[in-house]
Amino acid sequence: MRKQSINSIIITTLMILLSACGGEESSYSSTSTKLVQATSSISSTTNPIIINAGAVNGIKVMCNSTELVTDIDGSIKCDKMPISVYLGEFKLGDVNSIPIDGFIYTQDLLHLTRADIAHPEVTKLSMILQSLDKDADPLNGITLDSNVLDILGSHLNNSTILVNLTFDNIESIIQDVIQTALSQDSTSKLKAVSYDTAQSNLAESVANAPTLTYDQRTEGGI
């Protein structure tokens, strides 16, 4: 009787273990499927978001030959390459494919890696974009006012070469745009963003981007 009882316990225990393993395998399979689906969704996106310290709303984008303006969340609907981004007639840069995470950072537009936060041209563009944010809080999103972009157009245009502009030039341009905007609208909240703050804000934004695996970053070129 004791032997039969022991055998029954062993058999029951084995059944429980097998059942647990089967459940774990099922759970793992389900999780893997979700990960594959998520990755597929990211890599096939046709609604990229233009982003610096925050998503950029109101910026001009050329989707191949079609002119668009980003929505409030910084997104555009575009499945034709290249994608080029402009402040008025001044071209910030372009991408020939949408990064795997669906975000187009300033670094991407300049064909740099996401880690190139301190690159001089990245910092110059970051200072400009963040300083033109309507509510002076670029980390919650950068909203560009069309009137402010018109003012900026007197300084930056299609013949401007970014690398030729010094940081003193950039600061001078920003100050002039802010003062002119304030003279036209006393409620303007535009605030100049410094070299260090622009880099810090961009670094925080990049750090908060969706986590990707090494293979995903390699595939996406970021």
Side-chain angles (χ1 to χ4, degrees):
M1 290 291 292
R2 180 179 295 180
K3 184 175 181 180
Q4 184 177 3
S5 177
I6 292 173
N7 286 340
S8 296
I9 293 172
I10 292 173
I11 291 171
T12 302
T13 303
L14 286 172
M15 289 178 67
I16 292 172
L17 289 172
L18 287 171
S19 175
C21 289
E24 183 178 348
E25 182 179 353
S26 175
S27 174
Y28 175 79
S29 176
S30 174
T31 302
S32 297
T33 300
K34 290 179 181 178
L35 286 173
V36 170
Q37 289 174 342
T39 303
S40 175
S41 174
I42 291 172
S43 62
S44 64
T45 181
T46 55
N47 293 70
I49 293 174
I50 310 302
I51 189 168
N52 184 267
V56 185
N57 167 29
I59 198 166
K60 173 183 169 183
V61 177
M62 292 300 296
C63 175
N64 194 337
S65 58
T66 303
E67 183 174 329
L68 305 169
V69 176
T70 54
D71 291 334
I72 192 168
D73 62 354
S75 69
I76 53 168
K77 186 172 181 61
C78 179
D79 58 2
K80 296 181 180 179
M81 300 297 125
I83 294 176
S84 305
V85 180
Y86 293 79
L87 282 171
E89 297 306 311
F90 172 63
K91 183 177 179 180
L92 276 64
D94 55 41
V95 295
N96 294 312
S97 62
I98 299 172
I100 195 169
D101 59 358
F103 292 111
I104 299 178
Y105 275 89
T106 307
Q107 303 95 299
D108 300 320
L109 293 171
L110 296 176
H111 303 278
L112 300 168
T113 69
R114 294 277 175 86
D116 288 321
I117 292 168
H119 189 282
E121 275 55 71
V122 171
T123 303
K124 291 173 187 176
L125 293 181
S126 296
M127 290 171 67
I128 294 170
L129 287 167
Q130 295 176 33
S131 296
L132 300 187
D133 178 33
K134 193 172 183 178
D135 70 353
D137 186 3
L139 286 172
N140 72 4
I142 296 174
T143 298
L144 303 176
D145 181 84
S146 58
N147 181 57
V148 171
L149 291 178
D150 288 341
I151 298 171
L152 180 67
S154 64
H155 298 282
L156 303 178
N157 51 53
N158 56 11
S159 64
T160 302
I161 301 175
L162 184 62
V163 71
N164 290 342
L165 296 176
T166 66
F167 282 102
D168 285 340
N169 294 149
I170 297 297
E171 290 175 352
S172 178
I173 290 170
I174 290 171
Q175 287 297 338
D176 185 73
V177 171
I178 290 175
Q179 290 172 9
T180 303
L182 189 60
S183 70
Q184 297 177 0
D185 179 5
S186 61
T187 65
S188 174
K189 295 181 179 179
L190 298 187
K191 180 180 179 181
V193 174
S194 69
Y195 176 102
D196 291 334
T197 301
Q199 288 186 358
S200 175
N201 287 342
L202 179 57
E204 183 172 341
S205 176
V206 171
N208 289 331
T211 302
L212 300 175
T213 66
Y214 175 80
D215 288 342
Q216 287 174 327
R217 288 191 177 280
T218 301
E219 179 186 345
I222 58 176

